[in-house]
Protein backbone atom coordinates (compact mmCIF):
# COMPACT_ATOMS: atom_id res chain seq x y z
CA UNK A 1 0.00 0.00 0.00
CA UNK A 2 1.41 3.40 -1.01
CA UNK A 3 0.02 6.66 0.39
CA UNK A 4 1.34 10.05 -0.70
CA UNK A 5 0.08 13.40 0.58
CA UNK A 6 -2.93 11.85 2.32
CA UNK A 7 -4.74 13.60 5.18
CA UNK A 8 -6.70 11.46 7.66
CA UNK A 9 -8.48 12.78 10.72
CA UNK A 10 -11.22 11.73 13.13
CA UNK A 11 -11.03 8.05 12.21
CA UNK A 12 -11.08 5.19 14.70
CA UNK A 13 -7.58 4.25 13.49
CA UNK A 14 -5.38 5.82 10.85
CA UNK A 15 -3.78 2.90 9.02
CA UNK A 16 -3.33 -0.77 9.90
CA UNK A 17 -1.22 -3.32 8.01
CA UNK A 18 -0.92 -7.03 8.80
CA UNK A 19 1.95 -8.83 7.00
CA UNK A 20 1.97 -6.09 4.36
CA UNK A 21 4.32 -3.38 3.10
CA UNK A 22 3.23 0.22 3.62
CA UNK A 23 4.89 3.30 2.12
CA UNK A 24 3.64 6.63 3.52
CA UNK A 25 5.18 9.87 2.29
CA UNK A 26 4.01 13.38 3.17
CA UNK A 27 0.89 12.26 5.06
CA UNK A 28 -0.88 13.96 7.99
CA UNK A 29 -2.86 11.81 10.45
CA UNK A 30 -4.54 13.52 13.40
CA UNK A 31 -7.38 13.54 15.95
CA UNK A 32 -7.79 9.79 16.30
CA UNK A 33 -10.60 9.14 16.89
CA UNK A 34 -12.05 12.55 17.77
CA UNK A 35 -9.44 14.93 19.17
CA UNK A 36 -10.91 14.86 22.71
CA UNK A 37 -7.81 13.25 24.26
CA UNK A 38 -9.82 10.78 26.37
CA UNK A 39 -8.35 7.27 26.66
CA UNK A 40 -11.02 4.68 25.76
CA UNK A 41 -8.66 1.68 25.23
CA UNK A 42 -9.93 1.26 21.68
CA UNK A 43 -6.56 0.90 19.89
CA UNK A 44 -6.75 4.34 18.32
CA UNK A 45 -3.28 4.21 16.76
CA UNK A 46 -2.29 6.52 13.94
CA UNK A 47 -0.31 3.69 12.31
CA UNK A 48 -0.21 0.03 13.30
CA UNK A 49 2.21 -2.30 11.50
CA UNK A 50 1.96 -5.98 12.45
CA UNK A 51 3.99 -8.85 11.03
CA UNK A 52 6.65 -9.01 8.35
CA UNK A 53 5.82 -9.26 4.64
CA UNK A 54 6.97 -12.41 2.84
CA UNK A 55 9.30 -10.28 0.70
CA UNK A 56 11.11 -9.10 3.87
CA UNK A 57 10.76 -5.51 2.62
CA UNK A 58 10.28 -2.90 5.35
CA UNK A 59 7.36 -0.52 5.63
CA UNK A 60 8.37 3.14 5.29
CA UNK A 61 7.00 6.29 6.95
CA UNK A 62 8.74 9.42 5.64
CA UNK A 63 8.06 13.16 5.91
CA UNK A 64 4.81 12.64 7.82
CA UNK A 65 3.06 14.28 10.76
CA UNK A 66 1.14 12.18 13.30
CA UNK A 67 -0.70 14.06 16.06
CA UNK A 68 -3.44 13.94 18.69
CA UNK A 69 -4.33 10.29 19.17
CA UNK A 70 -5.77 8.28 22.05
CA UNK A 71 -3.32 5.39 21.76
CA UNK A 72 0.03 5.22 19.92
CA UNK A 73 1.49 7.28 17.11
CA UNK A 74 3.17 4.21 15.58
CA UNK A 75 2.57 0.71 16.98
CA UNK A 76 5.03 -1.82 15.54
CA UNK A 77 4.63 -5.52 16.34
CA UNK A 78 7.10 -8.02 14.88
CA UNK A 79 7.56 -6.08 11.63
CA UNK A 80 10.28 -4.28 9.69
CA UNK A 81 9.79 -0.51 9.73
CA UNK A 82 11.70 2.64 8.77
CA UNK A 83 10.55 6.01 10.12
CA UNK A 84 12.29 9.19 8.96
CA UNK A 85 11.84 13.00 8.79
CA UNK A 86 8.60 12.74 10.77
CA UNK A 87 7.00 14.59 13.68
CA UNK A 88 4.90 12.69 16.25
CA UNK A 89 3.06 14.57 18.99
CA UNK A 90 0.19 14.40 21.43
CA UNK A 91 -0.51 10.66 21.85
CA UNK A 92 -2.00 9.28 25.05
CA UNK A 93 0.37 6.29 25.05
CA UNK A 94 3.56 5.94 23.00
CA UNK A 95 4.89 8.05 20.17
CA UNK A 96 6.61 4.95 18.77
CA UNK A 97 6.03 1.55 20.41
CA UNK A 98 8.11 -1.44 19.26
CA UNK A 99 7.29 -4.95 20.45
CA UNK A 100 7.22 -8.62 19.55
CA UNK A 101 10.28 -8.66 17.31
CA UNK A 102 11.40 -7.29 13.97
CA UNK A 103 13.48 -4.19 13.34
CA UNK A 104 12.68 -0.48 13.62
CA UNK A 105 14.90 2.26 12.18
CA UNK A 106 14.16 5.82 13.35
CA UNK A 107 16.02 8.73 11.76
CA UNK A 108 15.54 12.49 12.09
CA UNK A 109 12.29 12.26 14.03
CA UNK A 110 10.80 14.56 16.71
CA UNK A 111 8.48 13.08 19.36
CA UNK A 112 6.74 15.32 21.90
CA UNK A 113 3.69 15.46 24.12
CA UNK A 114 3.24 11.69 24.53
CA UNK A 115 3.14 9.48 27.62
CA UNK A 116 6.25 7.68 26.37
CA UNK A 117 8.18 9.01 23.42
CA UNK A 118 9.96 5.82 22.34
CA UNK A 119 9.28 2.44 23.92
CA UNK A 120 11.08 -0.87 23.36
CA UNK A 121 8.51 -3.26 24.74
CA UNK A 122 7.96 -6.99 25.16
CA UNK A 123 9.54 -9.65 23.00
CA UNK A 124 12.70 -8.97 21.05
CA UNK A 125 12.40 -5.90 18.82
CA UNK A 126 15.65 -4.33 17.61
CA UNK A 127 15.45 -0.51 17.49
CA UNK A 128 18.08 1.87 16.15
CA UNK A 129 17.28 5.57 16.57
CA UNK A 130 19.58 8.14 14.98
CA UNK A 131 19.11 11.92 15.20
CA UNK A 132 16.02 11.52 17.41
CA UNK A 133 14.65 14.36 19.56
CA UNK A 134 12.32 13.61 22.49
CA UNK A 135 10.98 16.44 24.62
CA UNK A 136 7.87 17.42 26.60
CA UNK A 137 6.78 13.78 26.97
CA UNK A 138 6.07 12.24 30.37
CA UNK A 139 8.87 9.72 29.70
CA UNK A 140 11.30 10.24 26.86
CA UNK A 141 12.66 6.70 26.39
CA UNK A 142 11.37 3.54 28.05
CA UNK A 143 12.91 0.08 27.91
CA UNK A 144 10.22 -2.45 28.85
CA UNK A 145 6.45 -2.22 29.01
CA UNK A 146 3.49 -3.33 31.12
CA UNK A 147 3.16 -6.77 29.49
CA UNK A 148 4.82 -9.55 31.57
CA UNK A 149 5.88 -11.59 28.54
CA UNK A 150 9.67 -11.19 28.60
CA UNK A 151 11.87 -8.36 27.36
CA UNK A 152 14.71 -9.29 25.02
CA UNK A 153 14.73 -6.17 22.87
CA UNK A 154 17.78 -4.16 21.82
CA UNK A 155 17.89 -0.35 21.73
CA UNK A 156 20.71 1.61 20.13
CA UNK A 157 20.69 5.42 20.24
CA UNK A 158 23.08 7.49 18.15
CA UNK A 159 22.97 11.30 18.07
CA UNK A 160 19.74 11.18 20.07
CA UNK A 161 18.52 13.84 22.51
CA UNK A 162 15.98 13.39 25.32
CA UNK A 163 15.46 16.50 27.45
CA UNK A 164 12.71 18.19 29.49
CA UNK A 165 10.46 15.13 29.72
CA UNK A 166 8.35 15.66 32.83
CA UNK A 167 8.76 12.34 34.69
CA UNK A 168 12.00 11.00 33.28
CA UNK A 169 14.13 11.28 30.18
CA UNK A 170 15.00 7.56 30.37
CA UNK A 171 13.29 4.71 32.26
CA UNK A 172 14.40 1.10 32.45
CA UNK A 173 11.17 -0.66 33.44
CA UNK A 174 12.93 -4.05 33.60
CA UNK A 175 16.39 -3.33 35.03
CA UNK A 176 17.38 -6.98 35.27
CA UNK A 177 17.26 -7.40 31.48
CA UNK A 178 19.82 -4.79 30.36
CA UNK A 179 21.96 -5.34 33.46
CA UNK A 180 22.41 -9.03 32.68
CA UNK A 181 23.17 -8.19 29.04
CA UNK A 182 24.61 -4.64 28.99
CA UNK A 183 24.61 -4.44 25.19
CA UNK A 184 20.81 -4.37 25.09
CA UNK A 185 20.67 -0.59 25.63
CA UNK A 186 23.43 1.59 24.23
CA UNK A 187 23.75 5.36 23.78
CA UNK A 188 26.44 6.80 21.53
CA UNK A 189 27.01 10.50 20.84
CA UNK A 190 23.70 11.15 22.59
CA UNK A 191 22.44 13.58 25.17
CA UNK A 192 19.92 12.45 27.79
CA UNK A 193 18.65 14.67 30.55
CA UNK A 194 20.81 17.72 29.80
CA UNK A 195 18.56 20.71 30.39
CA UNK A 196 21.24 23.19 29.34
CA UNK A 197 20.68 22.17 25.72
CA UNK A 198 16.93 22.73 25.82
CA UNK A 199 16.77 26.18 24.24
CA UNK A 200 18.78 25.23 21.17
CA UNK A 201 16.90 21.99 20.66
CA UNK A 202 13.47 23.54 21.05
CA UNK A 203 14.40 26.12 18.46
CA UNK A 204 15.62 23.33 16.22
CA UNK A 205 12.28 21.49 16.65
CA UNK A 206 10.42 24.63 15.54
CA UNK A 207 12.84 25.33 12.71
CA UNK A 208 11.41 25.59 9.23
CA UNK A 209 12.73 26.43 5.78
CA UNK A 210 16.31 25.34 6.48
CA UNK A 211 16.48 22.43 4.06
CA UNK A 212 14.68 19.78 6.07
CA UNK A 213 15.10 18.15 9.47
CA UNK A 214 18.55 16.83 8.62
CA UNK A 215 20.04 20.26 7.97
CA UNK A 216 18.37 21.74 11.03
CA UNK A 217 19.61 18.89 13.26
CA UNK A 218 23.17 19.22 11.98
CA UNK A 219 23.09 22.97 12.47
CA UNK A 220 21.80 22.67 16.03
CA UNK A 221 24.49 20.17 16.94
CA UNK A 222 27.25 22.34 15.44
CA UNK A 223 25.81 25.59 16.77
CA UNK A 224 26.03 26.86 13.20
CA UNK A 225 24.08 30.13 12.74
CA UNK A 226 24.66 30.17 9.01
CA UNK A 227 23.27 26.70 8.34
CA UNK A 228 20.24 27.20 10.59
CA UNK A 229 19.38 30.75 11.67
CA UNK A 230 16.84 29.46 14.20
CA UNK A 231 19.32 27.39 16.23
CA UNK A 232 21.05 28.75 19.32
CA UNK A 233 24.82 28.15 19.47
CA UNK A 234 24.81 26.20 22.76
CA UNK A 235 24.97 22.52 21.76
CA UNK A 236 28.51 21.23 21.45
CA UNK A 237 30.39 18.05 22.35
CA UNK A 238 31.58 18.00 25.95
CA UNK A 239 34.48 16.26 27.67
CA UNK A 240 32.57 15.05 30.71
CA UNK A 241 29.17 13.60 31.52
CA UNK A 242 26.65 12.36 29.03
CA UNK A 243 26.47 14.62 26.01
CA UNK A 244 26.96 14.93 22.30
CA UNK A 245 30.13 13.11 21.37
CA UNK A 246 30.12 11.11 24.62
CA UNK A 247 28.99 7.49 24.46
CA UNK A 248 27.31 5.61 27.26
CA UNK A 249 25.95 2.13 27.77
CA UNK A 250 23.18 1.40 30.22
Amino acid sequence: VTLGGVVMMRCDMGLESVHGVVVMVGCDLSQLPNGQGLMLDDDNDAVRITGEHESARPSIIDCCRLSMGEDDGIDQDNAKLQVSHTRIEGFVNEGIAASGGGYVSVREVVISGCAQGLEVGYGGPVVHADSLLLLHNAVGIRYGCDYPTGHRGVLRLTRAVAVNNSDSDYVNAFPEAPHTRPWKVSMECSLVGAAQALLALEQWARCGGCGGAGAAWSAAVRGDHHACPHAAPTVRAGHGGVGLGKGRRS
Side-chain angles (χ1 to χ4, degrees):
V1 176
T2 299
L3 300 176
V6 172
V7 176
M8 299 184 191
M9 61 188 303
R10 303 202 173 188
C11 304
D12 192 63
M13 179 184 290
L15 182 145
E16 181 174 18
S17 171
V18 179
H19 296 291
V21 176
V22 173
V23 177
M24 296 178 59
V25 179
C27 297
D28 190 329
L29 283 65
S30 66
Q31 299 185 46
L32 306 163
N34 51 28
Q36 294 179 349
L38 302 175
M39 181 61 182
L40 300 175
D41 196 22
D42 193 28
D43 221 13
N44 302 119
D45 301 321
V47 178
R48 181 175 176 85
I49 307 291
T50 303
E52 185 177 330
H53 188 261
E54 60 183 10
S55 69
R57 291 168 52 204
S59 291
I60 295 172
I61 300 173
D62 184 48
C63 295
C64 292
R65 180 174 179 265
L66 314 176
S67 62
M68 296 180 64
E70 295 172 17
D71 202 337
D72 302 331
I74 299 173
D75 190 347
Q76 176 270 2
D77 185 356
N78 201 31
K80 288 185 176 180
L81 176 62
Q82 297 176 0
V83 186
S84 57
H85 314 110
T86 289
R87 180 142 194 169
I88 302 169
E89 55 190 340
F91 285 88
V92 171
N93 286 335
E94 286 76 43
I96 298 177
S99 60
Y103 177 80
V104 181
S105 170
V106 180
R107 182 173 177 82
E108 294 177 1
V109 169
V110 179
I111 304 177
S112 62
C114 302
Q116 285 80 228
L118 173 65
E119 179 183 271
V120 180
Y122 67 86
V126 176
V127 179
H128 179 203
D130 179 76
S131 301
L132 170 67
L133 174 62
L134 304 122
L135 74 166
H136 301 314
N137 304 286
V139 174
I141 304 159
R142 182 165 81 163
Y143 182 94
C145 65
D146 297 330
Y147 294 94
T149 51
H151 294 81
R152 306 179 305 279
V154 175
L155 172 62
R156 181 187 177 204
L157 299 172
T158 56
R159 295 184 294 177
V161 175
V163 292
N164 204 34
N165 298 285
S166 59
D167 293 342
S168 179
D169 294 308
Y170 169 71
V171 167
N172 179 2
F174 284 81
E176 70 282 358
H179 287 179
T180 56
R181 295 189 178 93
W183 48 266
K184 284 196 169 185
V185 178
S186 67
M187 303 180 190
E188 303 169 12
C189 300
S190 294
L191 189 151
V192 177
Q196 68 269 19
L198 179 60
L199 175 60
L201 293 165
E202 284 186 324
Q203 289 177 341
W204 166 71
R206 295 193 297 267
C207 181
C210 297
W217 171 270
S218 299
V221 170
R222 294 194 309 268
D224 187 343
H225 291 290
H226 300 288
C228 177
H230 304 91
T234 57
V235 184
R236 291 190 181 274
H239 296 290
V242 178
L244 295 168
K246 180 77 171 180
R248 182 181 76 173
R249 291 184 182 273
S250 173

